[in-house]
Amino acid sequence: MTDCVLRLQGITKRFGALLANDSISLDLQRGEVLALLGENGAGKSTLVAILFGHYVADAGRIEAFGKLLPAGQPRAALDAGIGMVHQHSTLADNLSVLDNVMVGREPLWQPWSRRAAARTRLLEVAQSFGLAVQPDARVGELSVGERQRVEILKALMGSEGGRGARILILDEPTAVLTPQESEALFHTLGQMVAQGMSIIFISHKLDEVLRVSNRIAVLRAGRLVAQASASE
């Protein structure tokens, strides 16, 4: 793995007196699972919120696929091929799977031909990564694991005119899953990596991290204190 797809350099973020991220530098390679490990409050979620444009860093820069990523612009992150699945669902319970995937990607009230094309694309992406979904199912009636599948598919579909996520950030993805759902997620991650995707896996469960990651970065009190390959 020699292709660097993401580079964070000197990322620093303060919230008043709290130094949430202290000059963190990391990179991510193509086809790699990088685990961000650390206790609650270590700075993991702040770091990826900056990466995805939800926060603006006080210092530092981010490059995605060799290009500078504009700060504080989630749409720019999406357009660059970065997708994020949050720990808590961001889906609309009253909408179907298809409508949730289309929200933010294109207007919901499209001619039938556009909706049919979106449905076809959704099913193609779902099959490609082994993520079984029913496009017309109402999200409010889905299990937690099924909702997470929809969140992942939404990221993989990307923004309108975009090519979908090539980097996927998963924030504590197993926190609300059953063991069986976690197993299904790990299988999906394996398929993603096999197709050249890169993944940032945030967790504080060491057994899961050792199982799914190629490399581990440990944060403590806002600082990057260790990096190692999972085999080490």
Side-chain angles (χ1 to χ4, degrees), residues 46-126:
T46 298
L47 186 65
V48 294
I50 291 169
L51 170 58
F52 199 63
H54 291 314
Y55 293 152
V56 176
D58 299 324
R61 57 183 276 140
I62 299 171
E63 293 181 5
F65 302 99
K67 297 181 180 180
L68 183 65
L69 190 67
Q73 298 181 29
R75 182 61 187 246
L78 287 168
D79 290 346
I82 300 170
M84 185 167 179
V85 176
H86 299 270
Q87 182 176 350
H88 303 290
S89 177
T90 61
L91 302 173
D93 284 355
N94 61 320
L95 296 180
S96 70
V97 168
L98 178 61
D99 287 340
N100 267 281
V101 168
M102 291 175 68
V103 165
R105 191 170 187 268
E106 52 187 307
L108 287 180
W109 311 120
Q110 287 286 1
W112 177 254
S113 60
R114 290 287 294 274
R115 288 187 63 79
R119 175 191 295 269
T120 299
R121 171 72 176 146
L122 171 62
L123 292 173
E124 286 174 351
V125 173

